[in-house]
Amino acid sequence: MLAGVVAALVACYIYAYLDISPAKELPPYQVRERHDDTLRIVMIGDSWAMFHYRLNRDSVLQSMLQKKVDVPIRVRSRGVGGANSKEIYHYMFASETIESEKELDKCTQPLLEEAPDYCLISAGINDAGQGKGPDFFCKNYIKILRLLLHNHIKPVVLELPTVIMDNKVNMVFEDFFNENRSFAWYRLKKRMGFKLTAIINGADMNHVDECRDRLRQILDETGLMDSVIFIPKTDWNKDGYRDSRGIYLDDGTHLNLAGYDVLDSCYAEVISRDYLKSVK
Protein backbone atom coordinates (compact mmCIF):
# COMPACT_ATOMS: atom_id res chain seq x y z
CA MET A 1 0.00 0.00 0.00
CA LEU A 2 2.73 2.43 1.02
CA ALA A 3 4.77 1.51 -2.05
CA GLY A 4 1.74 2.26 -4.20
CA VAL A 5 1.30 5.70 -2.62
CA VAL A 6 4.99 6.50 -3.11
CA ALA A 7 4.81 5.37 -6.73
CA ALA A 8 1.75 7.54 -7.28
CA LEU A 9 3.56 10.54 -5.79
CA VAL A 10 6.57 9.99 -8.05
CA ALA A 11 4.29 9.60 -11.07
CA CYS A 12 2.47 12.81 -10.14
CA TYR A 13 5.75 14.70 -9.86
CA ILE A 14 6.93 13.46 -13.25
CA TYR A 15 3.54 14.27 -14.77
CA ALA A 16 3.63 17.76 -13.28
CA TYR A 17 7.23 18.44 -14.26
CA LEU A 18 6.81 17.36 -17.84
CA ASP A 19 3.61 19.31 -18.32
CA ILE A 20 4.70 22.80 -17.25
CA SER A 21 6.66 23.68 -20.39
CA PRO A 22 4.69 25.66 -23.01
CA ALA A 23 4.06 24.12 -26.42
CA LYS A 24 6.72 24.34 -29.10
CA GLU A 25 5.50 26.60 -31.87
CA LEU A 26 4.65 24.46 -34.88
CA PRO A 27 4.97 25.46 -38.55
CA PRO A 28 1.69 27.11 -39.59
CA TYR A 29 -0.49 25.57 -42.24
CA GLN A 30 -2.36 27.54 -44.89
CA VAL A 31 -6.15 27.43 -45.07
CA ARG A 32 -7.93 27.34 -48.41
CA GLU A 33 -9.12 30.45 -50.22
CA ARG A 34 -12.83 31.22 -50.15
CA HIS A 35 -14.98 32.61 -52.91
CA ASP A 36 -18.36 33.22 -51.28
CA ASP A 37 -19.96 35.83 -49.04
CA THR A 38 -20.77 33.50 -46.13
CA LEU A 39 -19.74 34.89 -42.75
CA ARG A 40 -18.06 32.01 -40.93
CA ILE A 41 -17.46 31.84 -37.18
CA VAL A 42 -15.84 29.01 -35.24
CA MET A 43 -15.39 28.51 -31.51
CA ILE A 44 -12.54 26.43 -30.10
CA GLY A 45 -11.22 25.67 -26.65
CA ASP A 46 -12.28 23.94 -23.47
CA SER A 47 -15.61 22.74 -22.04
CA TRP A 48 -17.29 26.09 -22.74
CA ALA A 49 -16.71 25.46 -26.46
CA MET A 50 -17.63 21.78 -26.08
CA PHE A 51 -20.99 22.53 -24.49
CA HIS A 52 -21.62 25.30 -27.01
CA TYR A 53 -21.74 22.54 -29.59
CA ARG A 54 -23.50 19.90 -27.49
CA LEU A 55 -26.25 22.29 -26.39
CA ASN A 56 -26.90 23.30 -30.00
CA ARG A 57 -25.75 26.84 -29.37
CA ASP A 58 -24.13 27.12 -32.81
CA SER A 59 -27.54 27.45 -34.41
CA VAL A 60 -28.64 29.95 -31.74
CA LEU A 61 -25.61 32.19 -32.30
CA GLN A 62 -26.12 31.84 -36.03
CA SER A 63 -29.71 33.02 -35.66
CA MET A 64 -28.65 35.96 -33.47
CA LEU A 65 -26.10 37.05 -36.06
CA GLN A 66 -28.54 36.60 -38.94
CA LYS A 67 -30.75 39.29 -37.42
CA LYS A 68 -27.84 41.75 -37.52
CA VAL A 69 -25.99 40.87 -40.72
CA ASP A 70 -27.55 40.41 -44.15
CA VAL A 71 -25.26 37.64 -45.47
CA PRO A 72 -25.30 33.85 -45.03
CA ILE A 73 -23.95 32.80 -41.62
CA ARG A 74 -22.24 29.60 -40.53
CA VAL A 75 -21.21 28.88 -36.92
CA ARG A 76 -19.30 25.80 -35.78
CA SER A 77 -17.73 24.96 -32.42
CA ARG A 78 -15.55 22.22 -31.01
CA GLY A 79 -13.92 21.91 -27.61
CA VAL A 80 -12.53 19.45 -25.08
CA GLY A 81 -13.52 19.47 -21.42
CA GLY A 82 -10.54 20.06 -19.12
CA ALA A 83 -8.25 21.22 -21.95
CA ASN A 84 -5.57 23.75 -21.06
CA SER A 85 -4.03 26.24 -23.49
CA LYS A 86 -1.20 23.92 -24.56
CA GLU A 87 -3.67 21.18 -25.46
CA ILE A 88 -5.97 23.64 -27.24
CA TYR A 89 -3.01 24.79 -29.35
CA HIS A 90 -2.12 21.19 -30.23
CA TYR A 91 -5.75 20.43 -31.14
CA MET A 92 -5.37 23.03 -33.91
CA PHE A 93 -3.00 20.61 -35.69
CA ALA A 94 -4.22 17.29 -37.04
CA SER A 95 -0.67 15.93 -36.87
CA GLU A 96 -0.58 16.56 -33.12
CA THR A 97 -4.15 15.55 -32.36
CA ILE A 98 -5.27 12.54 -34.29
CA GLU A 99 -3.73 9.29 -33.06
CA SER A 100 -6.90 7.23 -33.24
CA GLU A 101 -10.46 7.45 -34.53
CA LYS A 102 -11.59 8.28 -30.99
CA GLU A 103 -9.70 11.57 -31.13
CA LEU A 104 -11.11 12.90 -34.40
CA ASP A 105 -13.59 15.13 -32.57
CA LYS A 106 -10.79 16.88 -30.66
CA CYS A 107 -9.11 18.26 -33.76
CA THR A 108 -10.04 21.81 -34.71
CA GLN A 109 -7.89 22.02 -37.85
CA PRO A 110 -10.84 21.07 -40.11
CA LEU A 111 -12.82 24.02 -38.70
CA LEU A 112 -9.94 26.41 -39.32
CA GLU A 113 -9.32 25.06 -42.83
CA GLU A 114 -12.74 26.37 -43.80
CA ALA A 115 -11.19 29.84 -43.51
CA PRO A 116 -13.57 31.33 -40.94
CA ASP A 117 -13.71 35.08 -40.57
CA TYR A 118 -13.68 34.92 -36.78
CA CYS A 119 -12.50 32.42 -34.17
CA LEU A 120 -13.92 32.60 -30.65
CA ILE A 121 -11.38 31.30 -28.12
CA SER A 122 -12.33 29.82 -24.75
CA ALA A 123 -9.15 29.05 -22.83
CA GLY A 124 -7.47 29.67 -19.50
CA ILE A 125 -9.82 28.37 -16.82
CA ASN A 126 -8.12 24.99 -16.79
CA ASP A 127 -4.64 26.53 -16.90
CA ALA A 128 -5.46 28.34 -13.66
CA GLY A 129 -7.21 25.33 -12.13
CA GLN A 130 -4.27 23.06 -12.99
CA GLY A 131 -1.72 25.44 -11.48
CA LYS A 132 0.05 26.02 -14.81
CA GLY A 133 0.68 29.68 -14.10
CA PRO A 134 0.41 32.81 -16.26
CA ASP A 135 3.68 32.26 -18.16
CA PHE A 136 2.55 28.83 -19.44
CA PHE A 137 -0.90 30.15 -20.32
CA CYS A 138 0.20 33.32 -22.10
CA LYS A 139 2.94 31.69 -24.19
CA ASN A 140 0.49 29.09 -25.47
CA TYR A 141 -2.26 31.65 -26.03
CA ILE A 142 0.02 33.85 -28.13
CA LYS A 143 0.82 30.83 -30.33
CA ILE A 144 -2.92 30.26 -30.82
CA LEU A 145 -3.32 33.87 -31.89
CA ARG A 146 -0.37 33.75 -34.27
CA LEU A 147 -1.72 30.72 -36.09
CA LEU A 148 -5.11 32.37 -36.52
CA LEU A 149 -3.67 35.70 -37.66
CA HIS A 150 -1.33 33.91 -40.08
CA ASN A 151 -4.47 32.70 -41.85
CA HIS A 152 -6.28 36.05 -41.62
CA ILE A 153 -8.78 34.69 -39.09
CA LYS A 154 -9.69 37.36 -36.56
CA PRO A 155 -9.43 36.06 -32.98
CA VAL A 156 -12.17 36.92 -30.50
CA VAL A 157 -10.50 36.86 -27.09
CA LEU A 158 -12.84 36.21 -24.19
CA GLU A 159 -11.14 37.49 -21.06
CA LEU A 160 -10.96 34.79 -18.41
CA PRO A 161 -14.22 34.76 -16.46
CA THR A 162 -14.48 34.49 -12.69
CA VAL A 163 -15.58 30.96 -11.85
CA ILE A 164 -15.44 28.50 -8.96
CA MET A 165 -12.29 26.39 -9.09
CA ASP A 166 -12.91 22.78 -8.01
CA ASN A 167 -9.51 21.53 -6.85
CA LYS A 168 -10.75 19.16 -4.17
CA VAL A 169 -10.33 15.43 -4.52
CA ASN A 170 -14.10 15.00 -3.96
CA MET A 171 -14.10 11.28 -3.24
CA VAL A 172 -14.61 9.00 -0.28
CA PHE A 173 -11.98 6.68 1.18
CA GLU A 174 -14.00 3.57 0.34
CA ASP A 175 -13.77 4.38 -3.37
CA PHE A 176 -10.13 3.30 -3.34
CA PHE A 177 -11.20 -0.26 -2.48
CA ASN A 178 -14.46 -0.79 -4.38
CA GLU A 179 -15.51 -0.83 -8.01
CA ASN A 180 -14.65 2.89 -8.28
CA ARG A 181 -11.01 2.39 -7.31
CA SER A 182 -9.54 2.90 -10.79
CA PHE A 183 -11.25 6.26 -11.18
CA ALA A 184 -10.44 7.23 -7.59
CA TRP A 185 -6.72 6.64 -8.09
CA TYR A 186 -6.79 8.38 -11.47
CA ARG A 187 -8.51 11.44 -10.01
CA LEU A 188 -6.14 11.53 -7.02
CA LYS A 189 -3.11 11.37 -9.32
CA LYS A 190 -4.45 14.18 -11.48
CA ARG A 191 -5.31 16.43 -8.52
CA MET A 192 -1.96 15.84 -6.85
CA GLY A 193 -0.25 16.45 -10.17
CA PHE A 194 -2.02 19.79 -10.50
CA LYS A 195 -1.03 20.71 -6.95
CA LEU A 196 2.61 19.84 -7.59
CA THR A 197 2.49 21.83 -10.83
CA ALA A 198 1.24 24.83 -8.87
CA ILE A 199 4.02 24.42 -6.31
CA ILE A 200 6.68 24.20 -9.03
CA ASN A 201 5.28 27.29 -10.76
CA GLY A 202 4.56 29.20 -7.58
CA ALA A 203 1.05 29.57 -8.97
CA ASP A 204 -2.34 29.91 -7.32
CA MET A 205 -4.79 27.15 -8.21
CA ASN A 206 -7.87 28.98 -7.00
CA HIS A 207 -7.91 32.22 -8.99
CA VAL A 208 -7.57 33.27 -12.60
CA ASP A 209 -6.53 36.84 -11.81
CA GLU A 210 -2.82 36.42 -12.60
CA CYS A 211 -3.47 34.68 -15.93
CA ARG A 212 -6.10 37.23 -16.87
CA ASP A 213 -3.98 40.27 -16.04
CA ARG A 214 -0.81 38.92 -17.66
CA LEU A 215 -2.54 38.13 -20.95
CA ARG A 216 -4.05 41.58 -21.20
CA GLN A 217 -0.65 43.13 -20.45
CA ILE A 218 1.08 41.06 -23.14
CA LEU A 219 -1.59 41.85 -25.73
CA ASP A 220 -1.07 45.55 -25.04
CA GLU A 221 2.73 45.37 -25.05
CA THR A 222 3.00 43.34 -28.26
CA GLY A 223 0.38 45.33 -30.17
CA LEU A 224 -1.73 42.20 -30.64
CA MET A 225 -4.64 43.92 -28.93
CA ASP A 226 -5.13 45.89 -32.17
CA SER A 227 -5.48 42.65 -34.16
CA VAL A 228 -8.09 40.91 -32.01
CA ILE A 229 -11.56 41.54 -30.66
CA PHE A 230 -11.08 41.63 -26.91
CA ILE A 231 -14.12 41.06 -24.68
CA PRO A 232 -13.53 42.12 -21.06
CA LYS A 233 -15.28 39.90 -18.53
CA THR A 234 -17.31 42.86 -17.27
CA ASP A 235 -18.77 43.46 -20.75
CA TRP A 236 -20.93 40.35 -20.56
CA ASN A 237 -20.82 39.12 -16.96
CA LYS A 238 -19.90 41.67 -14.31
CA ASP A 239 -20.17 39.45 -11.24
CA GLY A 240 -18.85 36.10 -12.43
CA TYR A 241 -20.50 33.03 -10.92
CA ARG A 242 -22.33 35.31 -8.45
CA ASP A 243 -24.30 36.76 -11.36
CA SER A 244 -27.89 37.37 -10.30
CA ARG A 245 -29.22 36.24 -13.68
CA GLY A 246 -28.52 32.61 -12.73
CA ILE A 247 -26.33 31.93 -15.73
CA TYR A 248 -24.13 29.21 -14.23
CA LEU A 249 -24.73 25.57 -13.42
CA ASP A 250 -24.56 24.51 -9.79
CA ASP A 251 -20.81 23.91 -10.14
CA GLY A 252 -20.23 27.64 -10.63
CA THR A 253 -17.87 26.85 -13.50
CA HIS A 254 -20.01 26.02 -16.53
CA LEU A 255 -22.73 28.08 -18.16
CA ASN A 256 -26.35 26.97 -18.29
CA LEU A 257 -28.63 27.81 -21.21
CA ALA A 258 -29.38 31.26 -19.80
CA GLY A 259 -25.64 31.82 -19.53
CA TYR A 260 -25.08 30.92 -23.16
CA ASP A 261 -27.88 33.31 -24.12
CA VAL A 262 -25.96 36.11 -22.39
CA LEU A 263 -22.59 35.09 -23.85
CA ASP A 264 -23.85 34.50 -27.39
CA SER A 265 -25.70 37.82 -27.37
CA CYS A 266 -22.40 39.49 -26.59
CA TYR A 267 -20.61 37.53 -29.32
CA ALA A 268 -23.31 38.45 -31.86
CA GLU A 269 -23.04 42.12 -30.97
CA VAL A 270 -19.25 42.45 -31.18
CA ILE A 271 -18.88 40.30 -34.31
CA SER A 272 -21.66 42.03 -36.23
CA ARG A 273 -20.31 45.44 -35.28
CA ASP A 274 -16.79 44.54 -36.41
CA TYR A 275 -17.99 42.87 -39.61
CA LEU A 276 -20.24 45.74 -40.65
CA LYS A 277 -17.42 48.20 -40.01
CA SER A 278 -15.04 46.13 -42.18
CA VAL A 279 -17.36 46.04 -45.19
CA LYS A 280 -18.17 49.74 -45.27
Side-chain angles (χ1 to χ4, degrees), residues 7-243:
L9 286 171
V10 172
C12 287
Y13 182 83
I14 294 173
Y15 165 81
Y17 180 78
L18 292 178
D19 205 37
I20 60 174
S21 59
K24 284 186 63 175
E25 189 153 17
L26 299 169
Y29 49 81
Q30 194 71 41
V31 304
R32 63 181 176 83
E33 290 187 20
R34 279 177 36 205
H35 303 284
D36 59 41
D37 63 347
T38 299
L39 177 60
R40 287 176 169 83
I41 298 96
V42 300
M43 182 178 187
I44 64 172
D46 50 29
S47 57
W48 282 35
M50 178 183 73
F51 286 122
H52 197 273
Y53 167 75
R54 290 186 178 178
L55 295 173
N56 199 33
R57 298 301 308 185
D58 292 358
S59 61
V60 175
L61 177 55
Q62 183 171 306
S63 178
M64 289 179 175
L65 278 163
Q66 200 66 75
K67 295 176 182 177
K68 298 175 178 292
V69 179
D70 189 24
V71 294
I73 309 285
R74 187 178 189 191
V75 179
R76 296 184 68 192
S77 58
R78 181 174 291 178
V80 179
N84 59 48
S85 57
K86 182 176 183 177
E87 293 165 329
I88 292 167
Y89 176 66
H90 281 160
Y91 295 153
M92 299 169 80
F93 295 85
S95 60
E96 296 291 315
T97 308
I98 301 174
E99 296 180 358
S100 69
E101 290 185 3
K102 294 180 180 179
E103 294 178 314
L104 292 174
D105 287 343
K106 290 183 178 180
C107 187
T108 54
Q109 182 171 339
L111 273 64
L112 302 177
E113 286 180 332
E114 294 182 7
D117 300 278
Y118 297 92
C119 179
L120 317 176
I121 307 166
S122 176
I125 293 175
N126 294 307
D127 292 71
Q130 296 170 11
K132 302 300 185 187
D135 187 61
F136 175 95
F137 165 64
C138 291
K139 286 183 176 179
N140 294 322
Y141 204 104
I142 295 302
K143 293 179 178 69
I144 293 171
L145 296 181
R146 284 176 182 156
L147 178 59
L148 295 174
L149 292 171
H150 172 81
N151 283 299
H152 308 289
I153 302 169
K154 193 160 192 176
V156 180
V157 177
L158 183 69
E159 188 176 38
L160 273 67
T162 301
V163 299
I164 293 175
M165 292 294 182
D166 177 19
N167 293 309
K168 298 178 181 178
V169 175
N170 288 336
M171 61 185 70
V172 295
F173 183 73
E174 290 79 7
D175 282 344
F176 290 93
F177 303 97
N178 59 29
E179 65 274 8
N180 297 321
R181 59 184 174 275
S182 294
F183 178 73
W185 281 109
Y186 170 79
R187 188 172 174 85
L188 177 63
K189 183 178 74 172
K190 293 284 282 187
R191 293 300 182 190
M192 292 179 68
F194 295 157
K195 184 61 179 176
L196 284 168
T197 303
I199 292 172
I200 292 170
N201 283 319
D204 190 339
M205 293 177 65
N206 298 314
H207 300 286
V208 300
D209 297 30
E210 288 186 35
C211 291
R212 176 193 297 138
D213 295 343
R214 180 77 66 83
L215 179 61
R216 187 162 192 165
Q217 177 186 354
I218 289 175
L219 291 176
D220 285 331
E221 290 176 351
T222 59
L224 283 171
M225 187 68 85
D226 296 331
S227 301
V228 307
I229 296 178
F230 185 83
I231 303 179
K233 65 185 182 69
T234 51
D235 275 15
W236 73 278
N237 184 18
K238 182 178 179 180
D239 296 321
Y241 62 87
R242 299 182 183 86
D243 197 297

